[in-house]
Amino acid sequence: MPDFSVVGVWRSCVCNMNTFLYISCCFIRGIKRMSTPASAKDRRPHSKARCQTYPGSSEQRQSVPDNKVPWCVEFPEYDPPEYTAPVVKKGPVWADPGDLGSATIRFNKRDGLVNRVSFTGDYDLKNNTPQNPSGRTGLKGRGLLGKWGPNHAADPIVTRWRREDGEVLIDESSKKPILQFVAIMRADSGEWAIPGGMVDAGERVSLTLKREFGEEALNTLQHTGADRKILEEQIASLFTKGDEIYKGYVDDPRNTDNAWMETVAVNFHDDEGTGVARLPLQAGDDAGSVRWMNVSSALKLYASHEEFLRKTAERRGAHW
Ligand code: BGC
């Protein structure tokens, strides 16, 4: 028998509203998933951004079950700890002020020299604090990230064909040519990665891509005079034409509920193997070591970099 009392009608409205919100939320997530690359769909949401211990600290994230990652799914017990790394709290030039109450930050906009626009569209603000567009991470604050909201990076994927005596090598199983990319070992986590880095305030992404590659993989900062000029010319000539591989949110272990990484990954390919492919690699800046690495599904890389390499192999018709 339906309950037509005021309380009964109210309860049924609230219940229906919750059901409606849940269904809408799943629907929107479904649409977003349809536009996500295949192998990314199989990954758990925030698989890196929910790592139990926050990088470079002993801070523990509150554990968030897979189905409770989206903000629209209720999680009344959610009360994550707050953590901002000491290096960020000290207020270096690349970091925002800690107190958002008195700060005049223009979120979702180009704010002076700082790009606070997200590739994912406008993000929500709660008490003037940005909310991670990909959902819960089990931690509030900024962690190791300087900016509240999006922190923009750029990733140069520099590739060549693997050759022996001048001949391109073909993988026996896939019958496809083997691609190699320049990989660096990150000094902070010891993981192999693309030599990417943060976009400096006011810097164009195209410049970040060149600068980071030069600094980390060719150690340009330590070269002087004619030597440095040759390196810079080689980089400039390869970097005139790139193929954009990815642009968007990154599942990075440093992400929090209020600060996250986004990147643009671009492939620069030396098809003939006569330009950058021949340059002597030398680790510099925050890279521990550097090398040409074969591209294949066996790669285990930092953050979302495996996914970027998979897409690059697909784009080039290379073995994966
Ligand atoms: C790294 C990039 C990476 C980005 C997001 C940056 O710190 O340098 O390589 O894609 O973070 O994970």
Side-chain angles (χ1 to χ4, degrees):
M1 178 73 179
D3 179 359
F4 289 117
S5 69
V6 176
V7 173
V9 169
W10 171 247
R11 206 177 271 150
S12 129
C13 283
V14 169
C15 221
N16 288 337
M17 186 56 87
N18 269 340
T19 312
F20 173 73
L21 284 177
Y22 182 77
I23 290 172
S24 322
C25 174
C26 294
F27 179 69
I28 291 165
R29 283 170 67 208
I31 289 184
K32 277 199 173 166
R33 277 168 72 88
M34 275 191 258
S35 57
T36 314
S39 69
K41 280 181 200 165
D42 310 330
R43 260 200 252 120
R44 292 168 61 230
H46 271 171
S47 65
K48 307 228 175 178
R50 281 182 293 154
C51 54
Q52 182 58 45
T53 308
Y54 189 85
S57 75
S58 53
E59 195 65 35
Q60 300 295 303
R61 294 179 189 263
Q62 178 176 353
S63 111
V64 179
D66 288 357
N67 65 338
K68 300 261 169 60
V69 169
W71 292 110
C72 54
V73 176
E74 285 192 28
F75 190 8
E77 315 86 75
Y78 190 58
D79 184 18
E82 176 153 6
Y83 175 69
T84 296
V87 57
V88 176
K89 276 192 174 157
K90 268 194 218 148
V93 280
W94 44 268
D96 286 337
D99 178 10
L100 279 175
S102 53
T104 47
I105 293 182
R106 298 173 71 229
F107 290 119
N108 285 309
K109 302 238 164 15
R110 273 207 167 259
D111 183 12
L113 291 179
V114 183
N115 178 12
R116 302 194 189 271
V117 179
S118 168
F119 289 124
T120 63
D122 277 3
Y123 42 91
D124 292 335
L125 299 173
K126 201 168 145 195
N127 302 326
N128 200 32
T129 309
Q131 301 294 293
N132 187 318
S134 285
R136 299 180 175 100
T137 65
L139 198 73
K140 288 191 290 198
R142 278 172 297 163
L144 282 163
L145 301 177
K147 307 276 187 294
W148 294 100
N151 287 254
H152 289 281
D155 284 298
I157 307 172
V158 174
T159 54
R160 69 175 185 190
W161 295 115
R162 182 174 169 191
R163 292 172 196 262
E164 233 171 65
D165 302 325
E167 291 297 307
V168 174
L169 288 187
I170 306 290
D171 180 83
E172 281 181 5
S173 52
S174 67
K175 309 277 184 267
K176 288 184 175 168
I178 300 171
L179 200 61
Q180 295 189 311
F181 81 106
V182 174
I184 53 129
M185 184 188 277
R186 289 178 64 106
D188 59 355
S189 66
E191 285 168 284
W192 286 96
I194 298 162
M198 310 300 288
V199 179
D200 288 343
E203 188 177 50
R204 300 217 346 230
V205 169
S206 54
L207 180 63
T208 314
L209 291 161
K210 273 192 271 194
R211 183 178 54 71
E212 286 295 337
F213 183 73
E215 290 175 7
E216 295 192 351
L218 300 173
N219 203 10
T220 42
L221 293 179
Q222 296 309 314
H223 288 77
T224 48
D227 230 20
R228 179 156 173 179
K229 200 149 179 283
I230 295 175
L231 284 181
E232 282 172 354
E233 276 168 12
Q234 290 277 4
I235 300 173
S237 102
L238 178 73
F239 279 57
T240 46
K241 201 182 147 293
D243 289 314
E244 190 178 291
I245 296 294
Y246 180 81
K247 191 194 247 179
Y249 180 90
V250 182
D251 179 22
D252 186 288
R254 293 166 296 179
N255 291 356
T256 70
D257 286 0
N258 314 116
W260 60 90
M261 289 301 311
E262 299 197 6
T263 200
V264 179
V266 182
N267 177 214
F268 301 97
H269 181 62
D270 182 0
D271 201 51
E272 302 297 323
T274 49
V276 166
R278 286 203 180 149
L279 289 181
L281 299 177
Q282 190 182 333
D285 200 33
D286 42 15
S289 37
V290 62
R291 56 179 264 215
W292 286 98
M293 197 176 260
N294 293 343
V295 172
S296 84
S297 55
L299 287 173
K300 286 277 165 282
L301 302 174
Y302 182 77
S304 305
H305 292 188
E306 280 149 50
E307 181 58 16
F308 303 162
L309 264 307
R310 188 192 64 75
K311 292 183 83 184
T312 308
E314 195 175 278
R315 174 79 65 99
R316 301 260 155 237
H319 167 70
W320 173 246

